[in-house]
Amino acid sequence: MRENPRRRQHQEAVVRQRLGQPEAGWRQRWYTIIFEADTREGRIFDVALLLAIVTSVMIVMLDSLPALNQRLGRVFTALEWMFTLLFTAEYVMRLLVVRRPWRYALSFYGIIDFISIMPTWLAFFVPELHFLIDVRLLRLLRVFRILKLTVYFEEAEILYRALVNSRRKIFVFLAAVFIITVILGTVMYVVEGPEHGFHSIPVSMYWAVVTLTTTGFGDMVPKTPLGQFITSLTILLGYGIIAFPTGIVGAELAASIMKRPLTTRTCTHCLTEGHEPDAQYCKHCGSQLPAYQNDRPEVPGGRDGATGP
Amino acid sequence: MRENPRRRQHQEAVVRQRLGQPEAGWRQRWYTIIFEADTREGRIFDVALLLAIVTSVMIVMLDSLPALNQRLGRVFTALEWMFTLLFTAEYVMRLLVVRRPWRYALSFYGIIDFISIMPTWLAFFVPELHFLIDVRLLRLLRVFRILKLTVYFEEAEILYRALVNSRRKIFVFLAAVFIITVILGTVMYVVEGPEHGFHSIPVSMYWAVVTLTTTGFGDMVPKTPLGQFITSLTILLGYGIIAFPTGIVGAELAASIMKRPLTTRTCTHCLTEGHEPDAQYCKHCGSQLPAYQNDRPEVPGGRDGATGP
Amino acid sequence: MRENPRRRQHQEAVVRQRLGQPEAGWRQRWYTIIFEADTREGRIFDVALLLAIVTSVMIVMLDSLPALNQRLGRVFTALEWMFTLLFTAEYVMRLLVVRRPWRYALSFYGIIDFISIMPTWLAFFVPELHFLIDVRLLRLLRVFRILKLTVYFEEAEILYRALVNSRRKIFVFLAAVFIITVILGTVMYVVEGPEHGFHSIPVSMYWAVVTLTTTGFGDMVPKTPLGQFITSLTILLGYGIIAFPTGIVGAELAASIMKRPLTTRTCTHCLTEGHEPDAQYCKHCGSQLPAYQNDRPEVPGGRDGATGP
Amino acid sequence: MRENPRRRQHQEAVVRQRLGQPEAGWRQRWYTIIFEADTREGRIFDVALLLAIVTSVMIVMLDSLPALNQRLGRVFTALEWMFTLLFTAEYVMRLLVVRRPWRYALSFYGIIDFISIMPTWLAFFVPELHFLIDVRLLRLLRVFRILKLTVYFEEAEILYRALVNSRRKIFVFLAAVFIITVILGTVMYVVEGPEHGFHSIPVSMYWAVVTLTTTGFGDMVPKTPLGQFITSLTILLGYGIIAFPTGIVGAELAASIMKRPLTTRTCTHCLTEGHEPDAQYCKHCGSQLPAYQNDRPEVPGGRDGATGP
């Protein structure tokens, strides 16, 4: 569940090897700047990149405001193209400096980098697409790497692990919701009919999802007494079903939190472990425990149970 | 809570015996094709069946779209009848090849198979009913059997067990919600009255359910200050009550997750496994257990608890 | 948390004594019929009472439907008065047959019985009040006593205990919600103003409650960009806060479920207890356990941990 | 997690020292009245202060009601100014009687006291701001101190601790929600467009937040089939994501509840308490603990955990 620093370093080395880091020359130099964040140039490059991403997304948002679009539309378009050209250049550069470009192009970040520059180019043909350059936001995931926010990675990993552990339960749940949605949608289509806004089964299914998740837009509502009765029953039943995701995820998280050992402090005499952070004597044999050293003092109560010494 | 493969095989044998598998002849042959999925023909039959189910449900949905209905209504009706005739033939076949047809007809899948073909026939008399052939979707539950997705069955069983364990709490909760619904509905009917859309107590109860579950369609809203005050109080109180299903289900799930066998410790004498970490003697045969060694510290408590070696 | 049968019997005796059961004569006879459910007459009386309650509530509901009210209004009024006279007679009877009428009149059920008959009488002065006889529904709580559904009482007690254990957390939570509601309501009143439907601070507070609980009727919505921005932030922040009731209740319930001993089976040799239902040998000393006798077989896994034999 | 009384007293002394309590004279006298609540005058002052706060907030609310504002607007304004002058005088007094005024002015309560009086003064320039004196409500937090409701402080601390412990998970969650909001908002802006109410990307993001949190006002709804399909998928996916806050908070609370001292076992040597049921030696001083006797089997695990004898 949690990786120690050494294992992470090892992983980075593996990544470097898979992408094929060039040994020397200008490609080696640029590789260090673009792909790594340990040198001064690399750090500057990464921060500049983050700022450029945020700025370009802001511009797209502002561009969508009718008032601003009328006055500054041309400026926005120019800036957008500037950023797209920059990002395209950066993407080409990344392809050039790695030894195995396909490996990079097909990696997680490689695909995100690619779809970040596509919308503007595709907007030649389908103008609306240019708004989709908002997907550039996904590039911000790099921020974790640059700012060395590995502790957030670990927390995200706990959440991710909780999702993975409950993937089958969630699948069963989604299948149940889907079947309920289809049947409820059909029943309401038959009961309410097009004259009350339930124009077709797919539209009724949209209503069923909106209702079962307790979103309740109110654009379509049951008007017949029978429809209102069925809706009341379904909401109550569905409410029980819809309680499952929270229960599933919460249970997994609770399990992961509670199964962590308080500490790995071990009694030097009877070798029992898991003593609490404030214990001074072994609770099993009464012999003195070695002093507790927690090198992550910001985590209260040693809950995050330091795995290292 | 989790069944081992042997027990499952045994169950399948029991099912076969209950339905009365014929010993030989064409009925034996067709029994293998229709009811089982271990031969090549059986697998082809099952996959074809699944495709037919999905297709027939898709057709019903598309048929409900006004635009498509006008153009392709006749085609859809024809296809619908074709599928219904197919499924009816299949149902008759199933009745013929088992030795005890009533056993099958009254079994879980037998009933689903029956109500899957009824709507089209009943639509002779009540035309709207033909949309209800969407219940065919329930036949998709066979997909679990065909794809040997027994692991999903186990997860569904955990969810189902959580529901069963909390059935009394949920009953108490539903009773409380029902009484609150009636009283809130009546109070709002008195306070708001028909002029603000609360035409009768049943309609107000529908509103109360929609409000208490935080769905909030907005088709009926309190307009008087007193009504808004009562609504505010009720939502806050009801919000606490409505938190119970999640809490109940989550607590049961957490209990079931945490009570899963913590170890894979196996008794060297009777080969039972899943003994607790602090056990010293096998709880089944009383022989001494080998000392416990846990070498997977990163996966807390062996959660993924491999049952096999 | 759970009462054993003896303690419950004792409580009933205490109740009887507090209300002052008459020793003999017609009052003794009627006391047994009206207050108890162990004789044949008592059971018949109670079932008739429940039916009368449900019928009278149904009549009030049907009476509120405009279509039925026009046609059957007189019949409904007559029936309503009949039931009210019946219940009034019953209430007077209850007062007569107990030795300490005030004790009964001020007890939980005594108050419910009283406010169940009031609305019809008060409706002489305020006609709308007659709908409030729906509070008669609360008398249905007796159903638990009559049907000897003590197991449901226990489950309700677990839920109630979870509420009691978390009462201070819930108070802190409600105080936080109240302060957020006032401030958010004021801010939105200032930002949106009467022209967008936020006519006054109390109305804005109603909107804030509806929004923070994710009910979202949609009768009042922010229309200015600033208002929509504040709403977005508040919903997200409020969503975290609103997650607390579920978390609080769920955590308490999980604690109560998990702290129950699996069983109270005790090893006759080393006197350790809490052995699992399927254990045959003590896991601590290896000696044979006495056979497990669970007299509540419908509860899977002995989770409800039989307390006595 | 829970502070004992001595530690709290110590903290109060620390606070007193930090703010700089004057040694003698009228400042000493007024310091005791204004800042402390242990003398009779101090208690009277604090209760009067609380009443003034509540009254002034009530007046602001009533002032916002159009009907009352027209009739009593002048009275309200006069009262508002009276309270503001009072609170300003109190604030100045507080500054005068402490020895280090800046320490107070920059402390938690000092800032709240300051922003409580600002709005009325600023309303000279921006009239709408005068409603914001509702933030005075925050001053009510003092109620905890005055009424010695330290037990509520402890419960609030548990909730606060649960928030702090899960701050990183919540940050990861909020980042995920933000990215989903931007992308969903952009996609819906492209799919639905201004003609269906999605006038710009920021407005669409507002809609995305309202939808993902299942609030669903209904002021903006998808009208195209594609938009409804994307909405359905997103709600279901988002519902899973939105389940996280509850799960995270609930898991932390469950952990904190279950980790509360399980027993009141007290070391006979060093008098520390809360030792675990299976402990044999005091973890603080290493002396042997008396054998554990639990005579409260109906309250599982001593949950109400009396800390005193």
Side-chain angles (χ1 to χ4, degrees), chain D residues 25-59:
Chain D
W26 66 270
R27 280 167 66 182
Q28 158 71 32
R29 201 176 122 76
W30 278 99
Y31 179 90
T32 316
I33 292 174
I34 297 181
F35 275 92
E36 290 177 0
D38 293 328
T39 61
R40 206 170 141 271
E41 289 94 349
R43 212 181 301 266
I44 290 171
F45 177 86
D46 279 336
V47 171
L49 187 63
L50 289 183
L51 288 177
I53 292 166
V54 171
T55 314
S56 79
V57 169
M58 291 300 292
I59 284 167

Side-chain angles (χ1 to χ4, degrees), chain C residues 22 26-27 89-99 101 104:
Chain C
W26 67 271
R27 280 167 65 183
E90 180 221 339
Y91 183 70
V92 171
M93 201 70 185
R94 280 182 191 265
L95 283 178
L96 286 180
V97 300
V98 291
R99 228 197 272 159
Y104 161 69

Side-chain angles (χ1 to χ4, degrees), chain A residues 228 232, chain B residues 180-194 196-212 220, chain C residues 64-65 134:
Chain A
Q228 292 178 338
S232 300
Chain B
I180 292 176
T181 300
V182 172
I183 291 177
L184 179 62
T186 310
V187 167
M188 291 304 284
Y189 173 67
V190 172
V191 168
E192 292 284 328
H196 293 144
F198 294 76
H199 296 295
S200 65
I201 292 180
V203 164
S204 294
M205 284 169 61
Y206 155 73
W207 173 85
V209 169
V210 168
T211 302
L212 280 177
M220 296 161 66
Chain C
S64 78
L65 290 167
D134 272 12

Side-chain angles (χ1 to χ4, degrees), chain B residues 201-276:
Chain B
I201 292 180
V203 164
S204 294
M205 284 169 61
Y206 155 73
W207 173 85
V209 169
V210 168
T211 302
L212 280 177
T213 55
T214 76
T215 307
F217 282 134
D219 51 344
M220 296 161 66
V221 289
K223 298 226 173 68
T224 64
L226 182 57
Q228 292 177 338
F229 182 68
I230 293 172
T231 305
S232 300
L233 281 195
T234 318
I235 289 181
L236 277 183
L237 285 177
Y239 200 92
I241 286 169
I242 227 74
F244 272 77
T246 307
I248 294 168
V249 168
E252 286 293 336
L253 284 175
S256 82
I257 285 173
M258 275 181 241
K259 276 180 186 156
R260 268 188 252 167
L262 287 170
T263 70
T264 54
R265 292 182 76 184
T266 309
C267 172
T268 49
H269 188 71
C270 70
L271 299 178
T272 56
E273 52 182 36
H275 296 283
E276 293 170 37

Side-chain angles (χ1 to χ4, degrees), chain D residues 246-262:
Chain D
T246 308
I248 293 167
V249 168
E252 286 293 337
L253 285 173
S256 82
I257 286 173
M258 275 181 239
K259 276 182 186 155
R260 267 189 253 167
L262 287 169

